[in-house]
Amino acid sequence: MIEMLSGALLFSYFIAGIHFFRFWTRTGDRLFLHFVAAFWLFALNQLATSISVVANETVGYEYVLRVLGFVVILAGIVDKNLMTRRP
């Protein structure tokens, strides 16, 4: 049951990335590209944590992808705010 939910979450992250990619093609806003990268990093994180060989919860190296995803989102927000202040 947990494997099925893990797969559903992975698929949801991937689909969210596709939707943000479609929004980027319509608007050209770089913030959407940051969200694409972040959600695909979340999908890779979910894949890494669902593999039983890698899923050693005492180490936690696979969660680096999740942290990178949040850093990409924060960088996108900062970039968007700095871009609107420029003339």
Side-chain angles (χ1 to χ4, degrees), residues 18-77:
I18 289 174
H19 279 289
F20 280 115
F21 185 75
R22 190 179 69 187
F23 296 149
W24 173 73
T25 57
R26 287 183 184 174
T27 63
D29 192 359
R30 289 189 308 199
L31 181 63
F32 291 130
L33 278 181
H34 286 92
F35 276 106
V36 169
F39 275 103
W40 285 350
L41 281 172
F42 293 156
L44 285 175
N45 176 48
Q46 191 64 35
L47 181 66
T49 56
S50 65
I51 297 174
S52 62
V53 175
V54 180
N56 184 2
E57 295 177 359
T58 60
V59 178
Y61 290 127
E62 63 267 8
Y63 293 106
V64 171
L65 292 172
R66 184 175 295 183
V67 171
L68 284 175
F70 286 117
V71 168
V72 167
I73 290 174
L74 288 174
I77 292 170

